[in-house]
Amino acid sequence: MKRRTFLSLMGAAAMSGGLMLTGCSGGEQDDRKIIRIGHVQSQTHPDHLGLEAFAAHINEKLGGKYRVEVYPSELLGSQTEMVQLTQTGAIDFVVASTAIMETFSSQYQIFNLPYLFSSVEAYHAAMDDPEVTDPIFKTTSKAGLETVAWLDAGTRNFYTVKTPINQPSDLKGLKIRVQQSPTNVEMMRLLGGTATPMGFGDVYTALQAGILDGAENNELALTDNGHGDICKYYSYDMHQMVPDLLVANYEFMANLSSEERAIFDEGFEIVKETEQAAWSDAVAEAKDKAENEQHVNFLYPDTAPFQEAMAPLHDSVLSANPELQPIYDRIQEYNAEYAAQ
């Protein structure tokens, strides 16, 4: 109830021309702008750690004008709701999936392509290349959004309640939660499973109730979100390496002075570096807990049959978005340079 009330107030404020909240300190009016950042992860997740480091940076450098507040665990609403609030300026930043951003710009489809990257090294090198990211990150300005940083979200893999996934045919007839994007729905069709798009916050209950047979995500979903309490098989098919995205309200960014923008850009690098530094340790801890406390079985199937099934999806996305071909080709250069071992 509290969350819905808060969202209603945010929506009303946005409709009336923007949300400007001020507080009182020592009985005096605080005229600093409160910068709100929302995300769906827990307070121990690398995303949150990165955002807290960003908040500390902005509060130190620009604390006379701004105060950054980070809201984890869907406190400001579902991810889709928070993206909409960022659009209107009711909040200022959100950590969003590429799947949601695909609904605002079809060019984001490239990041959702299964087996786009040959290795983690190729993935990181490509995502750090402005020639790869800038043409896509800048496509949502008319929608009121600007992607300002990418965050590591590891590899996405299938995990299921009862059925081990060792080959694509094992997915036949299974209802698998996927992110809410046409690319992910088509991925499941090609693999023979039944795609069930839904918000991340609803997945645990759906798994528990038997509405879903499984889902696909990184290892932290097993522990941070409790999915490993229900799903006992985690299969490293490694079908996607997709980043999380720090997305800003475009108008807020455009209205920053050049000096402020430089400080925010420093902050975006701090977010990325802090989050990525914490990622590998978080994955190792999650896997240890899932295996030894939740009793999840980790499987390592041959990924070749999964990759072969995905080839038509690459062709269809590139045919529908020919402007992505140069970016795709650039990624292939990184794939050749950093081939999987």
Side-chain angles (χ1 to χ4, degrees):
M1 180 63 69
K2 288 182 180 179
R3 186 185 114 180
R4 292 298 169 188
T5 302
F6 181 82
L7 287 171
S8 298
L9 290 171
M10 296 286 270
M15 290 175 63
S16 65
L19 184 70
M20 293 296 293
L21 295 183
T22 57
C24 295
S25 178
E28 296 180 0
Q29 183 73 24
D30 186 348
D31 293 326
R32 291 180 297 173
K33 172 178 169 55
I34 299 174
I35 297 174
R36 288 181 170 81
I37 307 175
H39 67 92
V40 303
Q41 306 294 354
S42 73
Q43 290 178 285
T44 60
H45 193 278
D47 285 6
H48 187 77
L49 301 180
L51 293 169
E52 287 287 352
F54 170 78
H57 172 76
I58 299 300
N59 290 341
E60 177 187 352
K61 298 290 186 179
L62 296 170
K65 186 174 181 179
Y66 301 109
R67 186 173 83 245
V68 179
E69 298 177 350
V70 182
Y71 293 83
S73 305
E74 297 189 308
L75 288 174
L76 302 185
S78 70
Q79 192 172 104
T80 298
E81 290 168 331
M82 287 188 287
V83 170
Q84 293 167 348
L85 291 171
T86 305
Q87 266 193 294
T88 65
I91 65 176
D92 305 282
F93 294 91
V94 60
V95 177
S97 68
T98 55
I100 288 179
M101 295 306 291
E102 182 181 318
T103 65
F104 295 98
S105 169
S106 61
Q107 293 194 37
Y108 276 91
Q109 288 181 348
I110 193 170
F111 296 135
N112 291 325
L113 284 176
Y115 302 106
L116 176 64
F117 302 106
S118 64
S119 66
V120 172
E121 293 77 15
Y123 164 49
H124 280 241
M127 293 304 301
D128 280 337
D129 184 352
E131 290 186 27
V132 171
T133 57
D134 279 1
I136 298 170
F137 287 178
K138 295 181 184 298
T139 57
T140 54
S141 59
K142 291 183 179 178
L145 301 168
E146 177 183 347
T147 298
V148 294
W150 73 276
L151 307 175
D152 195 357
T155 61
R156 295 184 75 89
N157 305 283
F158 292 111
Y159 53 93
T160 50
V161 179
K162 298 178 181 178
T163 306
I165 306 300
N166 289 301
Q167 53 197 359
S169 59
D170 293 332
L171 288 162
K172 186 175 182 180
L174 297 186
K175 300 183 293 295
I176 304 294
R177 181 266 175 175
V178 297
Q179 293 179 303
Q180 295 156 297
S181 87
T183 305
N184 289 326
V185 171
E186 179 64 7
M187 173 185 74
M188 287 309 306
R189 188 190 71 81
L190 290 169
L191 289 172
T194 300
T196 307
M198 68 171 61
F200 187 60
D202 299 322
V203 177
Y204 182 92
T205 302
L207 288 168
Q208 193 176 46
I211 297 169
L212 294 172
D213 298 303
E216 49 86 43
N217 210 323
N218 57 55
E219 299 91 336
L220 271 65
L222 298 174
T223 54
D224 264 28
N225 306 99
H227 297 180
D229 295 337
I230 305 167
C231 295
K232 297 306 174 184
Y233 296 97
Y234 189 95
S235 179
Y236 277 108
D237 67 292
M238 297 187 290
H239 55 267
Q240 285 173 320
M241 297 180 194
V242 291
D244 283 335
L245 302 171
L246 181 58
V247 180
N249 174 264
Y250 178 79
E251 185 177 358
F252 170 75
M253 296 303 300
N255 287 334
L256 293 173
S257 69
S258 57
E259 293 81 6
E260 290 172 342
R261 179 66 198 240
I263 292 171
F264 271 82
D265 285 342
E266 290 174 0
F268 300 146
E269 284 299 312
I270 289 171
V271 174
K272 188 176 74 170
E273 291 169 4
T274 304
E275 190 270 348
Q276 291 181 12
W279 184 259
S280 59
D281 287 343
V283 168
E285 290 172 10
K287 188 174 179 182
D288 180 70
K289 178 180 178 180
E291 198 164 27
N292 295 303
E293 296 181 26
Q294 296 173 308
H295 306 296
V296 175
N297 298 287
F298 287 90
L299 310 173
Y300 300 86
D302 179 8
T303 63
F306 293 88
Q307 293 184 51
E308 291 169 8
M310 292 298 97
L313 186 51
H314 285 233
D315 294 339
S316 63
V317 167
L318 291 172
S319 295
N321 301 277
E323 66 275 13
L324 290 176
Q325 189 67 56
I327 298 172
Y328 185 86
D329 293 341
R330 180 73 170 161
I331 291 171
Q332 299 315 307
E333 293 176 11
Y334 286 114
N335 285 341
E337 183 178 354
Y338 300 100
Q341 299 300 315

Coordinates of all heavy atoms in Angstrom, one line a residue, residues 245-282:
L245 N 21.5 -0.9 -17.2 CA 21.8 0.5 -17.7 C 21.4 1.5 -16.7 O 20.3 1.4 -16.1 CB 21.1 0.7 -19.0 CG 21.4 -0.3 -20.1 CD1 20.4 -0.1 -21.3 CD2 22.8 -0.2 -20.6
L246 N 22.2 2.4 -16.4 CA 21.9 3.6 -15.6 C 21.3 4.6 -16.5 O 22.0 5.2 -17.4 CB 23.1 4.1 -14.8 CG 22.8 5.3 -13.9 CD1 21.7 5.0 -12.9 CD2 24.0 5.8 -13.2
V247 N 20.0 4.9 -16.4 CA 19.3 5.8 -17.3 C 18.8 7.0 -16.5 O 18.3 6.9 -15.4 CB 18.0 5.0 -17.9 CG1 17.3 5.9 -18.8 CG2 18.5 3.7 -18.6
A248 N 19.0 8.2 -17.2 CA 18.7 9.5 -16.5 C 17.6 10.1 -17.3 O 17.3 9.9 -18.4 CB 19.9 10.4 -16.6
N249 N 16.9 11.0 -16.5 CA 16.0 11.9 -17.2 C 16.7 12.9 -18.1 O 17.7 13.6 -17.7 CB 15.2 12.7 -16.1 CG 14.3 13.8 -16.7 OD1 14.7 14.9 -16.8 ND2 13.1 13.4 -17.1
Y250 N 16.4 12.9 -19.4 CA 17.1 13.7 -20.4 C 17.1 15.2 -20.0 O 18.2 15.8 -20.2 CB 16.5 13.4 -21.8 CG 17.2 14.2 -22.8 CD1 18.4 13.8 -23.4 CD2 16.7 15.4 -23.3 CE1 19.1 14.5 -24.4 CE2 17.3 16.1 -24.3 CZ 18.5 15.7 -24.8 OH 19.2 16.4 -25.8
E251 N 16.0 15.7 -19.6 CA 16.0 17.1 -19.4 C 16.9 17.5 -18.2 O 17.5 18.6 -18.2 CB 14.5 17.6 -19.1 CG 14.3 19.1 -18.9 CD 12.9 19.5 -18.7 OE1 12.0 18.6 -18.7 OE2 12.6 20.7 -18.5
F252 N 16.9 16.7 -17.2 CA 17.8 16.9 -16.0 C 19.2 17.0 -16.5 O 20.0 17.9 -16.1 CB 17.6 15.9 -14.9 CG 18.6 15.9 -13.8 CD1 18.6 16.9 -12.9 CD2 19.7 15.1 -13.8 CE1 19.5 17.0 -11.9 CE2 20.7 15.1 -12.8 CZ 20.6 16.1 -11.8
M253 N 19.7 16.1 -17.3 CA 21.0 16.1 -17.8 C 21.3 17.3 -18.7 O 22.4 17.9 -18.6 CB 21.3 14.8 -18.5 CG 21.2 13.5 -17.7 SD 22.3 13.5 -16.2 CE 23.9 13.7 -17.0
A254 N 20.4 17.6 -19.5 CA 20.6 18.7 -20.4 C 20.7 20.1 -19.7 O 21.3 21.0 -20.2 CB 19.4 18.8 -21.4
N255 N 20.1 20.2 -18.5 CA 20.1 21.4 -17.8 C 21.3 21.6 -16.8 O 21.4 22.6 -16.2 CB 18.8 21.6 -17.0 CG 17.6 21.9 -17.9 OD1 17.7 22.4 -19.0 ND2 16.4 21.5 -17.5
L256 N 22.1 20.6 -16.8 CA 23.3 20.7 -15.9 C 24.3 21.7 -16.6 O 24.4 21.7 -17.8 CB 24.0 19.4 -15.8 CG 23.3 18.3 -14.9 CD1 24.0 17.0 -15.0 CD2 23.1 18.7 -13.5
S257 N 25.0 22.4 -15.8 CA 26.1 23.3 -16.4 C 27.2 22.4 -16.8 O 27.3 21.2 -16.5 CB 26.6 24.2 -15.3 OG 27.3 23.6 -14.3
S258 N 28.1 22.9 -17.6 CA 29.2 22.1 -18.1 C 30.1 21.6 -17.0 O 30.6 20.4 -17.0 CB 30.1 22.9 -19.1 OG 30.6 24.1 -18.5
E259 N 30.2 22.4 -15.9 CA 31.0 22.0 -14.7 C 30.3 20.9 -14.0 O 30.9 19.9 -13.6 CB 31.3 23.2 -13.8 CG 32.2 24.3 -14.4 CD 31.4 25.2 -15.3 OE1 30.2 25.1 -15.5 OE2 32.1 26.1 -15.9
E260 N 29.0 21.0 -13.8 CA 28.2 20.0 -13.2 C 28.2 18.7 -14.0 O 28.4 17.6 -13.4 CB 26.8 20.4 -12.9 CG 26.6 21.5 -11.9 CD 25.2 22.1 -11.8 OE1 24.5 21.9 -12.8 OE2 24.9 22.8 -10.8
R261 N 28.1 18.8 -15.3 CA 28.0 17.6 -16.1 C 29.4 16.8 -16.0 O 29.4 15.6 -15.9 CB 27.8 18.0 -17.6 CG 27.8 16.8 -18.5 CD 26.6 15.8 -18.2 NE 26.8 14.5 -18.8 CZ 26.0 14.0 -19.7 NH1 24.9 14.6 -20.1 NH2 26.2 12.8 -20.2
A262 N 30.5 17.6 -15.9 CA 31.8 16.9 -15.8 C 31.8 16.1 -14.5 O 32.4 15.0 -14.4 CB 32.9 17.9 -15.8
I263 N 31.3 16.7 -13.4 CA 31.3 16.0 -12.1 C 30.4 14.8 -12.2 O 30.7 13.7 -11.6 CB 30.9 17.0 -11.0 CG1 32.0 18.0 -10.8 CG2 30.6 16.2 -9.7 CD1 31.6 19.2 -9.9
F264 N 29.2 14.9 -12.8 CA 28.3 13.8 -13.0 C 29.0 12.7 -13.8 O 28.8 11.5 -13.5 CB 27.0 14.2 -13.6 CG 26.0 14.6 -12.5 CD1 26.0 15.9 -12.0 CD2 25.0 13.8 -12.1 CE1 25.1 16.3 -11.1 CE2 24.1 14.2 -11.1 CZ 24.1 15.4 -10.6
D265 N 29.7 13.1 -14.9 CA 30.3 12.1 -15.7 C 31.4 11.3 -14.9 O 31.6 10.1 -15.1 CB 31.0 12.7 -16.9 CG 30.0 13.2 -18.0 OD1 28.8 12.6 -17.9 OD2 30.3 14.0 -18.8
E266 N 32.1 12.0 -14.0 CA 33.0 11.3 -13.1 C 32.3 10.3 -12.2 O 32.7 9.2 -12.0 CB 33.7 12.3 -12.2 CG 34.8 13.2 -12.9 CD 35.3 14.3 -12.0 OE1 34.9 14.4 -10.8 OE2 36.1 15.1 -12.4
G267 N 31.1 10.7 -11.8 CA 30.3 9.9 -11.0 C 29.8 8.6 -11.7 O 29.8 7.5 -11.1
F268 N 29.5 8.8 -13.0 CA 29.1 7.6 -13.8 C 30.2 6.6 -13.9 O 29.9 5.4 -13.9 CB 28.6 8.1 -15.1 CG 27.4 9.0 -15.1 CD1 27.3 10.0 -16.0 CD2 26.4 9.0 -14.1 CE1 26.2 10.9 -16.0 CE2 25.4 9.8 -14.0 CZ 25.3 10.8 -15.0
E269 N 31.4 7.1 -14.0 CA 32.6 6.2 -14.1 C 32.7 5.5 -12.7 O 33.1 4.3 -12.7 CB 33.8 6.9 -14.4 CG 33.9 7.3 -15.9 CD 33.9 6.0 -16.8 OE1 34.7 5.1 -16.5 OE2 33.2 6.0 -17.8
I270 N 32.5 6.2 -11.6 CA 32.6 5.6 -10.3 C 31.5 4.5 -10.1 O 31.8 3.4 -9.5 CB 32.4 6.7 -9.2 CG1 33.7 7.6 -9.2 CG2 32.2 6.1 -7.8 CD1 33.6 8.8 -8.3
V271 N 30.3 4.8 -10.6 CA 29.3 3.7 -10.5 C 29.8 2.5 -11.2 O 29.7 1.4 -10.6 CB 28.0 4.2 -11.2 CG1 27.0 3.1 -11.2 CG2 27.4 5.4 -10.5
K272 N 30.2 2.6 -12.4 CA 30.6 1.5 -13.2 C 31.8 0.7 -12.6 O 31.8 -0.5 -12.4 CB 31.0 1.9 -14.6 CG 31.2 0.8 -15.6 CD 31.5 1.3 -17.0 CE 32.9 1.9 -17.1 NZ 33.3 2.3 -18.5
E273 N 32.8 1.5 -12.2 CA 34.0 0.8 -11.6 C 33.7 0.1 -10.3 O 34.2 -1.0 -10.0 CB 35.1 1.9 -11.4 CG 35.7 2.4 -12.7 CD 36.6 3.6 -12.5 OE1 36.8 4.0 -11.4 OE2 37.0 4.2 -13.5
T274 N 32.9 0.8 -9.4 CA 32.6 0.2 -8.1 C 31.7 -1.1 -8.3 O 32.0 -2.1 -7.7 CB 31.8 1.2 -7.3 OG1 32.6 2.4 -7.1 CG2 31.5 0.6 -5.9
E275 N 30.7 -1.0 -9.2 CA 29.8 -2.1 -9.4 C 30.6 -3.3 -10.0 O 30.4 -4.5 -9.6 CB 28.7 -1.7 -10.4 CG 27.6 -2.7 -10.5 CD 27.8 -3.7 -11.6 OE1 28.7 -3.5 -12.5 OE2 27.0 -4.7 -11.7
Q276 N 31.4 -3.0 -11.0 CA 32.1 -4.1 -11.7 C 33.2 -4.8 -10.8 O 33.4 -6.0 -10.8 CB 32.8 -3.6 -13.0 CG 31.8 -3.3 -14.0 CD 32.4 -2.8 -15.3 OE1 33.6 -2.9 -15.6 NE2 31.6 -2.2 -16.2
A277 N 33.8 -3.9 -9.9 CA 34.8 -4.5 -9.0 C 34.1 -5.5 -8.0 O 34.7 -6.4 -7.5 CB 35.5 -3.4 -8.2
A278 N 32.9 -5.2 -7.7 CA 32.1 -6.0 -6.7 C 31.5 -7.3 -7.4 O 31.1 -8.2 -6.6 CB 31.1 -5.2 -6.0
W279 N 31.4 -7.3 -8.7 CA 30.6 -8.3 -9.4 C 31.1 -9.7 -9.2 O 30.4 -10.6 -8.8 CB 30.4 -7.9 -10.8 CG 29.5 -8.9 -11.5 CD1 29.9 -10.0 -12.3 CD2 28.1 -9.0 -11.4 NE1 28.7 -10.7 -12.7 CE2 27.7 -10.1 -12.1 CE3 27.2 -8.2 -10.7 CZ2 26.3 -10.4 -12.2 CZ3 25.8 -8.5 -10.8 CH2 25.4 -9.6 -11.6
S280 N 32.4 -9.9 -9.5 CA 32.9 -11.3 -9.5 C 32.8 -11.9 -8.1 O 32.5 -13.1 -8.0 CB 34.3 -11.3 -10.0 OG 35.2 -10.5 -9.2
D281 N 33.1 -11.1 -7.1 CA 33.0 -11.6 -5.7 C 31.6 -12.0 -5.4 O 31.3 -13.0 -4.7 CB 33.5 -10.6 -4.7 CG 35.1 -10.5 -4.7 OD1 35.7 -11.4 -5.3 OD2 35.6 -9.5 -4.2
A282 N 30.6 -11.1 -5.8 CA 29.2 -11.4 -5.5 C 28.7 -12.6 -6.2 O 28.0 -13.4 -5.6 CB 28.4 -10.2 -6.0

